[in-house]
Amino acid sequence: MNDLGFENPWLLSALLLSLPPLWRSGVKPTRHACLSLLPPDALSGWLDWLLRILPAAAIALATLGAAGMHLKQQKIARLAHGAHMVILLDRSKSMDNSFAGQTPSDGEQSKASAARSLLNKLVDQRRRDLIGFAAYSTSALPILPLTENKQALHAAIDATASPALAYTNISKGLALALAYFDQKPTAGSRIVLLVSDGAAVIDPDSEAALRQLFKRTQVRLYWLFLRTENNPGIFSTPEDNRDDNPQAMPERYLHMFFTSLGIPYQAYEAEDANAMRQAIADFDRLEQFPLPYFETIPRQDLSGVCFTAMSISISLLLGLKWLEGRK
Amino acid sequence: MPNPTFFRDFRAWCLILSCISFLAMQIYPRISKEQPIYDLTLIVDITRSMNAEDYRLNGQPVSRLEYVKHCLRELLISLPCQSKLGLGVFTERRAAILFTPIEVCSGFPEINASIASLDWRMAWAADSRIAHGLFNTLQEMTDKNSGLIFLTDGQEAPPINPRYGPDFSSLKRQTSGFIVGVGGLQPVTIPKFNTLGQRIGVYGPDDVPQRTSFGESDLNPEKIDGYDARNAPFGRAAPVGEEHLSALREDYLKQLATESGLGYSRLTNAGDLARAIGASKPARTTKQFEDIRKYYAACIIVLLLAQLI
């Protein structure tokens, strides 16, 4: 019964109107000289009973129909391959440059637009995932909560087509992405997909805080690093020892930080759109863990059924009327 | 056996009429109504002056930004389905659109959560160049076919030199929409926060630039005390002013609205936004269907009760 809902519950008070027919049937009494002369007739008894029940039922059904009876929207637990994923996108100014590190010329793609089209595809591919979307530049921008609304996700990804914002403050971005999972019950695998074209130094305070957050939230981290030509990459080692510091090679140091976290972590270095596509495909293949999810079954309208049943009652009543004996 | 008196009995007619009502219900179960549909992009000022607390909500003083969020939530609830709402934030000299308009009914939880997470800490820079921000937003929104609602208190920080404002003439009337003035008309203090986000008092007169020092002054040089074209274009007097306090700059916003061909409306209670939007031109109208089966049902109930008499 908990699954039944009504559009206009107050109309249910009209159910009281189905009581009068029970003690008064709409049959005109016929005069008879002596009732006791009549033999007891079981059929008449049944018909009398029907004449009371049918209009009462018709009124009750009409009321239920008018009140908009429906089966409420239901959620059925199912198991599928998927994850809870937060996409964390770099919105620093350099993302608007091409992979060659220049303002994109005709026919060239900027890193941001390459990322945009790939993320749009990824969102469509990952059918069962709950996906959240956040961006960061000098500060972190929470954009969408974890959601299965693909239309909203596309809207958020498309909105990043506007020029990028400012600098790269990766620690704020990571803290925001992890906050999506903090203090929430664990369900299935949790992913943070970081898409960026550069790293920045993480100060020791934030580093300690991030370490704790990573440990607490138990996420799997994927870093899609869009490497600009001739820039140091994640895996490059310095030729000169004096360059081996986070200021000179922030990417290498961020990678070392991620590796030292002790969480499942995978880094991809992409130098063009093709490499990005491969990285995303690889990610998609790796992240196929069982995920309990709820399938929503939309509510079902029952008022049509009520009205049909009502019409049957009325038709039967009309048939009985037709049979009524008269003088 | 059919009875010739059948059609003379009003009870039979009641039943026949209720059958006819049922048939009519099956044929015309609903009526259509014209319903306005809106497509709007909300740009919310998240600069520091929006932290000034000059609104009241449930008897508690709340910041302008909190109040704007409250009003946007109310607006989200009141918009008819199929309408679309996009959201963006303004700071520095431009707006960042968080998502392009999405349908309000299917996207309700997402839009609601995004409104709730609006925060002054999202600002990527601290300036508040409203005219430039509006200009940039209008540039972004041309050919987007979405109405603009720009919510701000109108306080430029640092103060601008009126000589160097953006020229809106190329963008005038390209985008429909209006500027919404947020805040009270009495100047109030602006809370100040430290790097950990803890509140540490309010901005004082020495914390903010009190006047512009950019370019040339727009005053007559002869009127400026200690004027020197190269070394002191704004004179030698120490700048004094009330820029550390914040009030809604209504005249300024009205002027911006006129220049950019937008409307202006002031936010004083939660219904204002919905009213202003209701009075504006909708993106389109659509046929909305209303279920009228309950009226047939009422008719049938009356007929069924009548045949008991």
Side-chain angles (χ1 to χ4, degrees):
Chain A
M1 273 309 270
N2 269 339
D3 300 336
L4 278 186
F6 295 94
E7 195 94 312
N8 312 301
W10 56 274
L11 280 178
L12 291 178
S13 55
L15 277 177
L16 285 174
L17 294 177
S18 59
L19 293 179
L22 291 180
W23 62 79
R24 192 190 161 100
S25 72
V27 180
K28 213 161 74 183
T30 312
R31 283 175 177 278
H32 194 274
C34 182
L35 279 175
S36 49
L37 274 181
L38 292 173
D41 182 15
L43 182 66
S44 299
W46 277 105
L47 287 180
D48 181 54
W49 187 77
L50 265 184
L51 280 175
R52 289 160 196 274
I53 283 293
L54 282 176
I59 291 175
L61 286 165
T63 309
L64 291 178
M69 188 160 84
H70 58 258
L71 268 183
K72 279 189 195 149
Q73 170 179 308
Q74 286 179 350
K75 292 195 174 230
I76 296 184
R78 290 186 193 279
L79 205 62
H81 295 297
H84 291 184
M85 167 162 64
V86 172
I87 299 174
L88 179 62
L89 182 66
D90 187 349
R91 292 275 276 133
S92 63
K93 288 241 164 77
S94 52
M95 286 290 281
D96 280 352
N97 293 343
S98 68
F99 280 94
Q102 290 158 345
T103 308
S105 51
D106 288 342
E108 247 185 336
Q109 230 182 356
S110 70
K111 284 176 276 186
S113 78
R116 200 158 51 242
S117 62
L118 270 177
L119 288 179
N120 265 326
K121 253 186 229 143
L122 180 73
V123 163
D124 283 332
Q125 270 168 25
R126 310 282 300 180
R127 288 199 309 132
R128 295 292 176 212
D129 287 7
L130 282 186
I131 301 176
F133 191 70
Y136 71 95
S137 140
T138 312
S139 60
L141 299 163
I143 295 178
L144 284 179
L146 286 170
T147 172
E148 50 193 359
N149 186 338
K150 303 282 182 224
Q151 190 213 353
L153 285 164
H154 288 308
I157 294 170
D158 291 341
T160 61
S162 62
L165 300 174
Y167 306 107
T168 309
N169 187 340
I170 198 147
S171 52
K172 272 193 189 174
L174 284 172
L176 171 69
L178 294 176
Y180 274 73
F181 299 115
D182 205 17
Q183 323 270 320
K184 294 228 177 70
T186 321
S189 76
R190 299 164 150 191
I191 308 172
V192 170
L193 174 63
L194 168 65
V195 181
S196 84
D197 71 333
V201 183
I202 297 182
D203 62 289
D205 281 353
S206 326
E207 186 185 319
L210 279 175
R211 267 183 205 283
Q212 256 191 358
L213 258 178
F214 269 111
K215 205 165 268 170
R216 202 160 62 213
T217 47
Q218 289 299 316
V219 296
R220 315 163 73 79
L221 177 65
Y222 288 83
W223 183 15
L224 179 57
F225 174 65
L226 313 177
R227 183 175 175 182
T228 315
E229 250 173 66
N230 302 326
N231 276 28
I234 302 177
F235 310 111
S236 43
T237 44
E239 288 162 12
D240 189 339
N241 261 348
R242 283 172 298 180
D243 283 342
D244 199 3
N245 60 62
Q247 276 73 26
M249 311 194 78
E251 288 81 14
R252 176 175 144 80
Y253 273 81
L254 188 63
H255 178 61
M256 279 157 55
F257 169 61
F258 287 155
T259 323
S260 73
L261 286 171
I263 53 164
Y265 162 60
Q266 181 82 45
Y268 297 97
E269 201 174 77
E271 280 162 351
D272 51 51
N274 266 334
M276 268 177 84
R277 209 165 300 134
Q278 255 166 20
I280 293 276
D282 191 41
F283 158 81
D284 193 33
R285 192 174 46 79
L286 279 179
E287 278 304 327
Q288 295 289 351
F289 290 94
L291 169 81
Y293 76 98
F294 288 95
E295 184 168 294
T296 318
I297 296 175
R299 74 182 211 181
Q300 283 167 294
D301 188 29
L302 295 179
S303 53
V305 180
C306 291
F307 286 131
T308 310
M310 173 202 77
S311 76
I312 294 171
S313 305
I314 296 175
S315 312
L316 285 174
L317 207 56
L318 197 60
L320 288 180
K321 197 87 202 159
W322 186 258
L323 298 176
E324 188 180 339
R326 263 165 253 246
K327 275 190 178 171
Chain B
M1 220 181 18
N3 197 312
T5 60
F6 178 80
F7 291 106
R8 260 182 262 148
D9 189 349
F10 80 93
R11 296 184 177 90
W13 278 110
C14 284
L15 292 175
I16 291 170
L17 279 178
S18 44
C19 278
I20 292 174
S21 299
F22 173 74
L23 288 178
M25 179 202 284
Q26 297 303 309
I27 298 167
Y28 296 110
R30 53 200 189 170
I31 48 170
S32 64
K33 278 193 300 195
E34 286 284 305
Q35 170 99 48
I37 297 294
Y38 299 93
D39 186 325
L40 302 166
T41 301
L42 306 164
I43 303 291
V44 182
D45 185 346
I46 53 166
T47 55
R48 304 282 171 89
S49 58
M50 291 294 282
N51 289 333
E53 291 167 335
D54 52 6
Y55 277 107
R56 290 187 91 76
L57 205 57
N58 306 324
Q60 295 289 322
V62 292
S63 71
R64 293 172 188 167
L65 187 57
E66 277 311 312
Y67 193 74
V68 163
K69 285 159 72 172
H70 165 74
C71 293
L72 293 187
R73 231 166 285 142
E74 299 286 319
L75 172 70
L76 175 61
I77 294 167
S78 71
L79 281 179
C81 283
Q82 295 182 43
S83 292
K84 287 178 159 189
L85 213 55
L87 187 64
V89 292
F90 156 75
T91 184
E92 198 203 4
R93 54 203 73 207
R94 54 167 296 194
I97 293 176
L98 300 181
F99 48 80
T100 54
I102 52 183
E103 204 269 324
V104 290
C105 288
S106 62
F108 182 86
E110 289 78 23
I111 303 177
N112 195 26
S114 289
I115 291 175
S117 65
L118 288 178
D119 192 297
W120 69 272
R121 291 177 188 84
M122 290 163 81
W124 54 91
D127 286 0
S128 175
R129 281 286 151 89
I130 290 157
H132 287 88
L134 183 64
F135 183 80
N136 168 277
T137 311
L138 288 172
Q139 261 180 337
E140 293 263 319
M141 303 251 317
T142 36
D143 336 312
K144 287 276 168 64
N145 227 348
S146 179
L148 170 68
I149 295 180
F150 197 91
L151 300 111
T152 177
D153 56 10
Q155 180 162 19
E156 297 267 4
I160 53 158
N161 188 337
R163 284 173 82 107
Y164 306 102
D167 176 15
F168 284 99
S169 53
S170 60
L171 295 168
K172 197 167 182 178
R173 289 186 225 296
Q174 298 275 327
T175 309
S176 65
F178 46 93
I179 299 176
V180 178
V182 184
L185 298 173
Q186 294 302 319
V188 292
T189 52
I190 306 170
K192 193 174 171 182
F193 297 86
N194 66 8
T195 46
L196 295 173
Q198 292 152 337
R199 195 162 163 170
I200 47 160
V202 295
Y203 280 94
D206 296 333
D207 289 331
V208 295
Q210 293 289 0
R211 60 142 204 243
T212 176
S213 55
F214 174 75
E216 283 175 46
S217 170
D218 61 331
L219 292 177
N220 181 355
E222 286 169 15
K223 299 265 167 68
I224 303 174
D225 175 34
Y227 173 83
D228 181 280
R230 195 188 68 180
N231 295 329
F234 292 88
R236 65 175 164 204
V240 284
E242 297 219 315
E243 285 298 322
H244 57 293
L245 302 177
S246 176
L248 169 60
R249 310 275 168 100
E250 231 179 352
D251 295 333
Y252 180 56
L253 288 179
K254 278 179 184 160
Q255 177 208 328
L256 281 183
T258 322
E259 281 175 24
S260 54
L262 298 173
Y264 174 80
S265 128
R266 190 180 163 205
L267 190 67
T268 45
N269 68 58
D272 284 352
L273 267 182
R275 253 192 303 282
I277 288 165
S280 69
K281 195 172 141 287
R284 61 196 167 93
T285 58
T286 180
K287 280 210 170 118
Q288 207 78 351
F289 292 102
E290 194 199 352
D291 188 350
I292 51 164
R293 289 181 304 179
K294 52 177 175 287
Y295 304 113
Y296 293 107
C299 220
I300 292 172
I301 291 174
V302 169
L303 286 167
L304 287 176
L305 288 174
Q307 58 101 31
L308 298 180
I309 299 167

